[in-house]
Amino acid sequence: MSRKDSIDNLFMKKPVVTASSPARSPDRVRTGAISAMGSSLHEMAENAKQVTKLQQQLAEGEPVVSLDPSAIDNSKITDRIQLEVDPDFEALVASIAEHGQQVPILVRPNPETAGRFQIAYGRRRLRAAEQLGRPVRAIVKSLSDSQLYIAQGRENLDRKDLSFIEKAFFARNLEDGGCDRATIISALVTDKADVSRYIAVARRLPDSVVNLIGPAPKAGRARWMALAEHLANPSMVEAAQQILRGYVEQRLDSDARLSGLLRELSGHPKASKKRSESTDVWRTPTGKRAVSIEANDGKTSIVFEEKAVPAFARFVSARLDELYEQFQKQNRAGD
């Protein structure tokens, strides 16, 4: 017998009629049927609600409890970038107000403060419940730090994929929080080469500028790297912040902010016109321009032409440890 059938039988058993059951007159049967109809329908509705609730809890695999939002603390590691104006969040608040919270959040007991909890995922649902002044439905599980961060990353990727810059900052924040690469790889469901690229980009961009831009879901690595090049000049950071504050007042969406900022910085009078100290180009055996190597102000950039050598950058990035070990051996041999 299935779990669903067991629950159905628990609440919806039919009465058993025996020979010793007292006979009822037709009039009493008709009167009883009419008078009991309302209460029977009410009982059936209540039983159906209990069945639905139990089935939902069984499907979720964990008991769902109601918690005061004020008793729940944020994770130490942030992933999503919040916008001042977020239509999706406003729609979520309206949906919960009308239909209730359909999906519970995941929390753990706060390891530092007794009686409090720490959220793994569902921060937007938590904010919505807080804004509506109602309890939040939650699953409480004992999680280690690594389990918390992995659950946080994977749930975000399953429900609404993080943008490139959100993944980059999440990876950087995890590393700064002391997580090893294996945990970061599991949290982002990616590989070692991608994690290295994410962190490298995040470390070149000021938090203040990225927070004013927002997640920019349509923008990939190339656009963020272009912004990093503009902001290599410290005086450009303040100029970028001023431009972005204007975009915030205009209520431009996140992708429009990034596109507008790149256009503005390209023509800005403070934009660096200085050429690289040296530039080298590597070509494939067939003569295709595949890699540009530029040295400038003590920094060297390697840019792969993805159309010429697809996936070559990923191949090289995955072997940086091996290449560096060979480099050290070569240097020791030359000593």
Side-chain angles (χ1 to χ4, degrees):
M1 181 180 296
S2 69
R3 189 176 292 181
K4 178 178 181 298
D5 292 336
S6 298
I7 297 172
D8 289 343
N9 290 338
L10 179 63
F11 289 105
M12 300 181 181
K13 287 182 178 178
K14 295 181 179 179
V16 179
V17 179
T18 65
S20 60
S21 299
R24 297 184 182 180
S25 68
D27 290 340
R28 287 183 59 85
V29 170
R30 283 197 296 270
T31 303
I34 294 171
S35 63
M37 184 178 295
S39 59
S40 296
L41 290 173
H42 177 72
E43 289 175 4
M44 289 175 64
E46 287 301 314
N47 287 341
K49 287 180 182 178
Q50 293 182 52
V51 171
T52 301
K53 183 177 179 181
L54 283 172
Q55 287 174 341
Q56 184 176 2
Q57 290 181 343
L58 289 170
E60 289 163 351
E62 297 286 345
V64 179
V65 299
S66 293
L67 298 177
D68 184 343
S70 65
I72 302 175
D73 301 316
N74 281 325
S75 167
K76 295 179 180 178
I77 308 298
T78 58
D79 44 24
R80 295 206 180 274
I81 301 172
Q82 292 185 12
L83 285 171
E84 308 82 7
V85 180
D86 186 350
D88 289 342
F89 176 69
E90 294 170 2
L92 175 65
V93 173
S95 174
I96 291 178
E98 182 176 359
H99 305 292
Q101 180 191 343
Q102 302 300 312
V103 181
I105 68 173
L106 177 65
V107 301
R108 71 171 178 176
N110 192 319
E112 298 177 357
T113 309
R116 296 190 64 80
F117 302 90
Q118 193 173 51
I119 191 166
Y121 59 69
R123 284 190 299 282
R124 297 171 77 249
R125 278 163 276 164
L126 175 62
R127 284 173 53 213
E130 191 172 21
Q131 183 170 312
L132 292 167
R134 62 174 61 180
V136 64
R137 299 176 66 246
I139 294 172
V140 182
K141 294 185 70 173
S142 295
L143 301 170
S144 66
D145 286 348
S146 294
Q147 290 172 329
L148 178 78
Y149 302 145
I150 291 171
Q152 179 179 344
R154 291 191 174 182
E155 200 270 351
N156 280 329
L157 292 170
D158 288 343
R159 293 187 61 78
K160 183 180 179 182
D161 199 7
L162 298 172
S163 68
F164 175 87
I165 198 62
E166 286 178 315
K167 290 177 182 177
F169 270 58
F170 187 34
R172 185 206 65 181
N173 293 341
L174 287 170
E175 184 173 72
D176 290 347
C179 292
D180 56 23
R181 285 296 170 98
T183 299
I184 301 173
I185 289 169
S186 295
L188 288 170
V189 195
T190 186
D191 57 32
K192 188 175 181 180
D194 271 345
V195 167
S196 296
R197 280 194 288 272
Y198 287 140
I199 293 174
V201 173
R203 298 216 179 276
R204 295 187 62 186
L205 291 165
D207 289 36
S208 59
V209 172
V210 174
N211 288 334
L212 284 170
I213 293 171
K218 297 179 182 178
R221 178 176 178 274
R223 295 177 69 76
W224 289 106
M225 285 296 293
L227 179 61
E229 292 296 329
H230 285 301
L231 300 182
N233 181 347
S235 64
M236 294 292 283
V237 175
E238 185 177 350
Q241 290 172 341
Q242 291 178 349
I243 293 168
L244 288 168
R245 290 189 189 102
Y247 293 162
V248 172
E249 292 178 2
Q250 297 172 40
R251 298 173 70 88
L252 294 184
D253 68 35
S254 184
D255 283 297
R257 294 180 195 182
L258 178 58
S259 297
L261 180 61
L262 287 172
R263 286 194 302 269
E264 293 274 1
L265 293 183
S266 296
H268 198 280
K270 291 184 179 180
S272 176
K273 304 298 182 182
K274 184 178 179 181
R275 293 186 177 180
S276 300
E277 295 170 357
S278 65
T279 302
D280 195 8
V281 174
W282 178 80
R283 299 179 184 275
T284 66
T286 60
K288 288 184 179 180
R289 180 188 176 105
V291 180
S292 299
I293 305 168
E294 297 183 356
N296 188 11
D297 294 334
K299 297 180 181 178
T300 300
S301 300
I302 303 177
V303 180
F304 294 83
E305 300 289 344
E306 289 289 343
K307 290 184 179 180
V309 282
F312 185 47
R314 185 187 297 268
F315 176 84
V316 173
S317 297
R319 286 159 177 76
L320 288 176
D321 291 340
E322 179 184 340
L323 291 171
Y324 186 68
E325 185 178 348
Q326 293 177 6
F327 169 74
Q328 287 184 311
K329 288 181 179 178
Q330 182 176 319
N331 283 348
R332 285 195 295 269
D335 291 342

